[in-house]
């Protein structure tokens, strides 16, 4: 029998699709994929995931309204204490450059004492940080804090993150201490 | 025996869950939280302090009570650590003398 060109073309597409399907299923079910956190992605894969993450967050965070009073001492104190309790183990603090988490997690948690924002990029950075803290980042060590913390508490931490990179160890200690 | 077993089965997880809930309450941290080490404030160059800076205001707010309420003895002890204006290399060591 002879196929019309269209039918031949469709048959070709179908067999390539079937091959891809069988190939992916074999890959997934074979167990060949290295799942360990100490086995890093190919740089290209990592780049792709990063772009995916940033585009997704940028879109989702673009409507968030940043409070006008982030630069208030009360927010710094409340956010600082929470940061020290909940975040410093992964994101570090002045005088501490590594932890078990910062070394063992992959992707590794960025050192937030070293990421400062230019004033003109501040609003976008605040939106982005608020979104990340509230919702977390899927399949990374970054938890969603939204289910257990209200927006105000999250904004307090965003406020603290603005100033964190310039704090000395002493300033950090005073701002984050829970006791008087 | 059966009864106490049930109590354990139900209460142990309940206790665990409620403990992890407490962790979210700032007031709970207060009791165990470490004290602000305000001795550093005294050693700072006061002429360089910017009182309009929210970080400075927050530190003042935190240390206000200590400045008025506490004996000078504890502060003197720590002065040597930060005498040169640099952060102490080992902050942990400092905190002990100030806890509670």
């Amino acid at each position: 029998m002879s196929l019309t060109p269209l039918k031949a073309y469709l048959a070709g597409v179908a067999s390539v699709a079937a091959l891809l399907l069988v190939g992916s299923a074999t890959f997934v079910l074979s167990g060949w994929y290295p799942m360990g956190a100490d086995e890093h992605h190919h740089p290209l894969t990592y780049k792709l995931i990063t772009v995916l993450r940033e585009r997704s967050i940028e879109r989702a965070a673009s409507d968030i309204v940043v409070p006008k009073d982030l630069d208030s001492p009360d927010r710094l104190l409340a956010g600082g204490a929470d940061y020290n309790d909940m975040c410093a183990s992964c994101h570090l603090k002045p005088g501490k450059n590594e932890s078990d988490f910062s070394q063992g997690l992959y992707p590794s948690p960025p050192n937030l004492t070293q990421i400062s924002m230019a004033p003109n990029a501040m609003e976008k950075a605040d939106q982005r940080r608020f979104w990340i803290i509230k919702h977390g980042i899927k399949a990374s060590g970054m938890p969603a804090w939204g289910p257990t913390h209200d927006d105000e508490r999250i904004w307090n931490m965003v406020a603290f993150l603005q100033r964190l990179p310039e704090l000395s160890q002493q300033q950090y200690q005073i701002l984050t201490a829970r006791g008087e | 025996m059966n009864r106490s077993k049930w109590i354990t089965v139900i209460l142990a997880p309940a206790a665990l869950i409620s403990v992890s809930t407490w962790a979210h309450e700032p007031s709970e941290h207060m009791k165990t939280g470490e004290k602000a080490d305000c001795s550093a404030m005294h050693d700072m160059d006061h002429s360089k302090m910017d009182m309009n800076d929210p970080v400075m205001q927050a530190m003042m707010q935190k240390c206000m009570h200590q400045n008025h309420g506490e004996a000078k003895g504890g502060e003197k002890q720590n002065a040597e650590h930060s005498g040169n204006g640099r952060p102490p290399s080992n902050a942990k060591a400092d905190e002990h003398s100030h806890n509670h």
Side-chain angles (χ1 to χ4, degrees):
Chain A
M1 73 171 191
S2 72
L3 293 173
T4 66
L6 179 65
K7 276 188 177 157
Y9 173 73
L10 288 179
V13 169
S15 43
V16 168
L19 214 69
L20 276 177
L21 205 72
V22 171
S24 329
T26 310
F27 175 70
V28 169
L29 296 175
S30 68
W32 288 329
Y33 181 76
M35 205 67 212
D38 53 358
E39 186 92 24
H40 292 187
H41 289 302
H42 186 276
L44 195 66
T45 314
Y46 194 85
K47 181 78 202 161
L48 263 174
I49 300 174
T50 305
V51 173
L52 177 79
R53 180 191 70 209
E54 290 306 316
R55 286 296 301 136
S56 162
I57 296 172
E58 197 182 325
R59 191 191 55 77
S62 61
D63 289 340
I64 294 174
V65 181
V66 181
K68 290 274 172 285
D69 65 338
L70 280 194
D71 213 9
S72 93
D74 289 333
R75 283 200 187 272
L76 289 178
L77 289 177
D82 272 350
Y83 179 88
N84 192 46
D85 286 337
M86 312 190 297
C87 323
S89 53
C90 284
H91 292 293
L92 307 170
K93 58 182 183 178
K96 196 155 172 20
N97 294 318
E98 55 187 32
S99 70
D100 288 347
F101 286 119
S102 78
Q103 293 189 298
L105 279 172
Y106 183 78
S108 63
N111 182 344
L112 292 183
T113 70
Q114 285 173 1
I115 304 184
S116 46
M117 293 294 157
N120 60 351
M122 202 56 106
E123 187 180 1
K124 265 198 162 337
D126 290 341
Q127 291 176 322
R128 176 175 175 272
R129 284 173 169 170
F130 177 85
W131 191 93
I132 291 177
I133 298 168
K134 182 164 179 170
H135 299 281
I137 296 177
K138 203 175 273 176
S140 84
M142 178 61 191
W145 301 86
T148 44
H149 297 77
D150 62 27
D151 285 4
E152 276 309 293
R153 262 179 101 179
I154 295 175
W155 280 120
N156 292 341
M157 288 189 275
V158 172
F160 182 75
L161 290 183
Q162 285 188 351
R163 304 303 301 269
L164 174 60
E166 49 187 289
L167 298 183
S168 69
Q169 284 183 33
Q170 292 163 323
Q171 290 173 317
Y172 179 90
Q173 200 279 336
I174 295 173
L175 289 189
T176 60
R178 288 272 180 203
E180 280 292 331
Chain B
M1 185 230 152
N2 236 344
R3 188 149 168 232
S4 62
K5 207 170 173 185
W6 272 113
I7 289 175
T8 321
V9 164
I10 292 167
L11 280 192
L16 269 180
I17 290 165
S18 52
V19 164
S20 60
T21 323
W22 291 341
H24 303 298
E25 289 307 323
S27 56
E28 281 296 324
H29 286 292
M30 287 299 232
K31 294 172 195 152
T32 52
E34 73 185 32
K35 211 168 165 176
D37 179 5
C38 292
S39 61
M41 290 278 285
H42 303 287
D43 300 324
M44 282 172 194
D45 185 345
H46 287 255
S47 63
K48 289 201 185 114
M49 287 182 176
D50 174 6
M51 293 306 165
N52 292 321
D53 179 19
V55 168
M56 185 54 67
Q57 291 169 355
M59 286 177 22
M60 300 294 267
Q61 201 169 314
K62 198 84 199 170
C63 291
M64 211 160 48
H65 303 269
Q66 283 191 25
N67 288 348
H68 299 303
E70 234 181 35
K72 287 266 176 221
E75 291 158 6
K76 282 271 148 56
Q77 256 187 347
N78 267 335
E80 53 186 2
H81 288 288
S82 35
N84 58 1
R86 298 278 310 144
S89 57
N90 184 356
K92 273 278 174 255
D94 271 357
E95 288 156 16
H96 285 300
S97 53
H98 270 262
N99 268 343
H100 311 292

